[in-house]
Amino acid sequence: MKNSYLKSNNSNSGYFYKTFYFKQKVDHFGFNNNDEFEQRYLVYGGFRPPQGGGPVFFYTGNEGDITWFCNNTGFMWELAKELKAMVIFGEHRYYGQSLPYGNQSFKDPTKLQYLTSEQALADFAVFIDYLRSEWYPGQKVPVIAFGGSYGGMLSAWFRMKYPHSVQGALAASAPIWQFTDLVDCGAFLKTVTNTFKHHNPTCAENIRNSWMIINKAATTETGRKTITDTFKLCKPLQSIEDVGTFKAWLQETWVDLAMVDYPYPSNFLEPLPAWPIKEVCSYLSKPLTRDLSLLYLVYEAVNMYYNYTGKASCLDINQEATQALGTMGWDYQACTEMVMPTCSNGKKDMFEPVEWDFDDYAKGCQKQWSVTPRPMWPVIQYGGKNISTASNIIFSNGLLDPWSSGGVTKSLSASLTAIIIPDGAHHLDLRSTNKNDPKDVTQARQKEKEIITQWIKDFYK
Amino acid sequence: MKNSYLKSNNSNSGYFYKTFYFKQKVDHFGFNNNDEFEQRYLVYGGFRPPQGGGPVFFYTGNEGDITWFCNNTGFMWELAKELKAMVIFGEHRYYGQSLPYGNQSFKDPTKLQYLTSEQALADFAVFIDYLRSEWYPGQKVPVIAFGGSYGGMLSAWFRMKYPHSVQGALAASAPIWQFTDLVDCGAFLKTVTNTFKHHNPTCAENIRNSWMIINKAATTETGRKTITDTFKLCKPLQSIEDVGTFKAWLQETWVDLAMVDYPYPSNFLEPLPAWPIKEVCSYLSKPLTRDLSLLYLVYEAVNMYYNYTGKASCLDINQEATQALGTMGWDYQACTEMVMPTCSNGKKDMFEPVEWDFDDYAKGCQKQWSVTPRPMWPVIQYGGKNISTASNIIFSNGLLDPWSSGGVTKSLSASLTAIIIPDGAHHLDLRSTNKNDPKDVTQARQKEKEIITQWIKDFYK
């Protein structure tokens, strides 16, 4: 197979990695389409022992530009240095530069149909087969999969479906059970709420109350202008639909804050201070108020999230949290395989009561992408809760992280190990070591290191 | 999902089973094609305990009409009776009545592209999911996969890829290693030769000599007429190409004979006496001859195979061994995923020396089906020889069977058990008990029963 090395100047933690493109079949599961595309890989071999060999750490890329994951997965680099591993980050098809049909990839359903988790796993399997035969001919090479979030789901599924390809997987904050009938649809937003309560119970109460105040204001033009002015919105709210977008954006903001509630300043989705929820809630910690003044407090909180650097002159409710995430691709995936039901009841959580309505959801998918979601397919394909025959997977979850509600938080067998990080947000353990790390994430990484070291030893036996 | 029961009068060993059709997506791995088709299932529930429950025995259908497999898998029925199991035979898409696009299914590459082992396994997984939730709601149901030959490969792969779907698999005569770089391409025809030698070493020598005599005769028109007349061929050999077809047909005949070398009269591919190779070789057991008279002996041998009932007035070299096998479908599969390299050298085997030429093979596939085979894909997809993390699979192989050369003939772990049947041909163990069964197949079935019983016990634990 033809492939090419391209030197580049990109670096992570001072290590200069190579960017590499690998020819992949667009369709692994059929023989009618022989199109190929170039999949991007980031490769760093500087930790390998001088005599060659050693393990390979392979990041199963998720829904975004792979360089972004590369720069936010410092633990993998640290552990690779310690265990003398080759470091490889594989980009997920349809994200970053790995577009099967270039800028036409999202143009029509025919070109988009190859965006599935199964095709992505097959890409990784084909690449690793190539890696073993071409880069390590005649050698025994243990490969360990790493991934966070959807990337963590992929790394777990990769070990389940291709156990000959990787000897084990660290699936960090991987909500592999966030599917229909596997967990309560309300658990996700309840966890967001708990994370806010954890820092400040009054804050969660104030957020819960804010929806009512917004709804009341939204009924009149004057009220909508008040919201627009209070939140310094870039575009005024002109209709009830605009208000819907505004509320969805607010909800998304609270969710994202729970995901990135890291113990030190970070810039994962947005530039933020340490424990951003604590910071945000400092505006919302005053005694309960049910009048319009609450709106200004919510604005101050939200402004901290979107405008920590103070550069924004207005807030854009259509803005994505980060450009690095491929929201088009993920929208499509959420409309096909990755249907993750959420709901809220306003009692156990701080959100407006919204039931999970699959039919309505499916209608939206049909409208946007001309596809009908198959919500049970990932359960049938990946086994739902019946995965105890799998082996060598670490499921790590931070309890501040909303996605922990769909994660594996209890060990399922001696080799399917759950690691809980009470003070951890979204895959905190995958991030670089930091002097402000809570003790529990340090312990989690230590345990992960021990288990991975054992997998490597077992492999050579 | 809509589905329908259709009562039918079909029976196996006196048990009347129901024929059932189940709606399947044509494409499980993409969301652009929402076509559905009706997949056929044969269901017999008469062995189930009166109070309901009990295990399910599920045959993962292979390349043919499912009723044919149903009628040639008596052991599954016998064991189901003993263990009070529901019996289900699932038809493989693109075979029998399970044609995704009716009589258009083979008409163009676009309609044919969904004929893959991955799609077939997904069909079975979707059906079993339906079975559990609709037929056994709220119950724990152990499902055991059964399969012979390619069906055995599917049952093994099914347990590997969908271990949550089936608790174990009996993979009889399943050549899961008959792929590129996994076994010697010469092993298959060497095993055919050994089976002939086993009965009669002179017979194998005579067959080896026959090619030279055919080749010599084939150079002239008179010689070709001699062959035509001697073999009572339905159509005369008119060209060198015809002679090629004739020799391929002869080779196929010897291969098929080794496959069906059963210890009692049978009618799997053709109606045959007990130990048909012994019978065939009775014509070829005379001292070596290198002249044309050998041709007549070969004719007598072949005539025994194709014309045991004495009804055929001529021999048809284009005739398939059985109408029940879907040769069109298998040709396509062999041209896409199921590339099984074979070669011969005329020394370790009794065939003409032929090297394995992938490029030539691929050219033929391009010409016939407009597809390019991907010989390494099944190895990447199903793990090749690195399958030791799988569990609960019995690989049984008869040593008379040429396909044993690509099978798992040594246990790979405590739960990946190889069972050898020295006097067994192609999945003899799956056939009904017979008073002429060799002791080793009786022992094999006993062991299979013990292991399967244990899987069921373990499941309920």
Side-chain angles (χ1 to χ4, degrees), chain B residues 11-29:
Chain B
S11 82
N12 180 286
S13 318
Y15 303 116
F16 286 83
Y17 56 79
K18 286 174 176 172
T19 303
F20 172 87
Y21 295 87
F22 182 74
K23 279 240 167 76
Q24 291 280 8
K25 295 278 177 208
V26 170
D27 188 7
H28 293 288
F29 296 100

Side-chain angles (χ1 to χ4, degrees), chain B residues 85-106:
Chain B
M86 165 101 102
V87 178
I88 303 180
F89 284 79
E91 190 161 66
H92 193 296
R93 51 168 59 204
Y94 290 85
Y95 296 98
Q97 295 181 0
S98 301
L99 303 174
Y101 293 102
N103 59 16
Q104 300 298 304
S105 299
F106 289 86

Side-chain angles (χ1 to χ4, degrees), chain B residues 142-156:
Chain B
V143 181
I144 310 297
F146 288 75
S149 195
Y150 169 51
M153 297 162 76
L154 289 172
S155 71

Side-chain angles (χ1 to χ4, degrees), chain B residues 127-253:
Chain B
F127 175 77
I128 289 176
D129 181 71
Y130 165 86
L131 174 87
R132 287 186 202 275
S133 60
E134 297 294 321
W135 294 7
Y136 296 88
Q139 292 174 62
K140 275 177 66 90
V141 189
V143 181
I144 310 297
F146 288 75
S149 195
Y150 169 51
M153 297 162 76
L154 289 172
S155 71
W157 292 337
F158 195 38
R159 169 65 188 171
M160 291 180 203
K161 293 289 189 182
Y162 297 87
H164 50 282
S165 197
V166 288
Q167 278 53 64
L170 170 53
S173 298
I176 60 164
W177 289 345
Q178 194 73 40
F179 291 101
T180 306
D181 294 346
L182 296 185
V183 291
D184 171 16
C185 64
F188 182 85
L189 291 173
K190 201 174 119 188
T191 310
V192 175
T193 306
N194 287 343
T195 300
F196 277 79
K197 276 187 187 165
H198 167 78
H199 287 296
N200 190 325
T202 314
C203 177
E205 275 307 305
N206 274 322
I207 292 171
R208 193 200 315 267
N209 285 334
S210 70
W211 308 109
M212 200 180 55
I213 295 164
I214 293 165
N215 286 341
K216 204 173 154 195
T219 52
T220 66
E221 205 174 306
T222 325
R224 290 196 289 274
K225 188 163 187 314
T226 305
I227 299 173
T228 301
D229 293 345
T230 307
F231 281 82
K232 295 187 183 160
L233 299 182
C234 300
K235 279 186 191 169
L237 302 182
Q238 294 183 311
S239 62
I240 289 294
E241 283 79 54
D242 286 354
V243 175
T245 308
F246 170 72
K247 287 196 291 183
W249 169 80
L250 258 188
Q251 176 167 319
E252 192 64 32
T253 306

Side-chain angles (χ1 to χ4, degrees), chain B residues 296-339:
Chain B
Y296 185 72
L297 302 178
V298 171
Y299 159 70
E300 284 196 305
V302 166
N303 190 54
M304 196 290 296
Y305 180 66
Y306 286 105
N307 196 18
Y308 186 54
T309 56
K311 284 180 191 161
S313 61
C314 62
L315 294 184
D316 179 359
I317 62 171
N318 295 308
Q319 181 203 313
E320 304 299 345
T322 169
Q323 298 291 328
L325 277 176
T327 50
M328 287 252 290
W330 187 251
D331 271 5
Y332 179 82
Q333 291 196 264
C335 270
T336 48
E337 294 181 300
M338 300 297 143
V339 179

Side-chain angles (χ1 to χ4, degrees), chain A residues 137-149:
Chain A
Q139 290 175 63
K140 273 175 69 89
V141 189
V143 181
I144 310 296
F146 288 73
S149 196

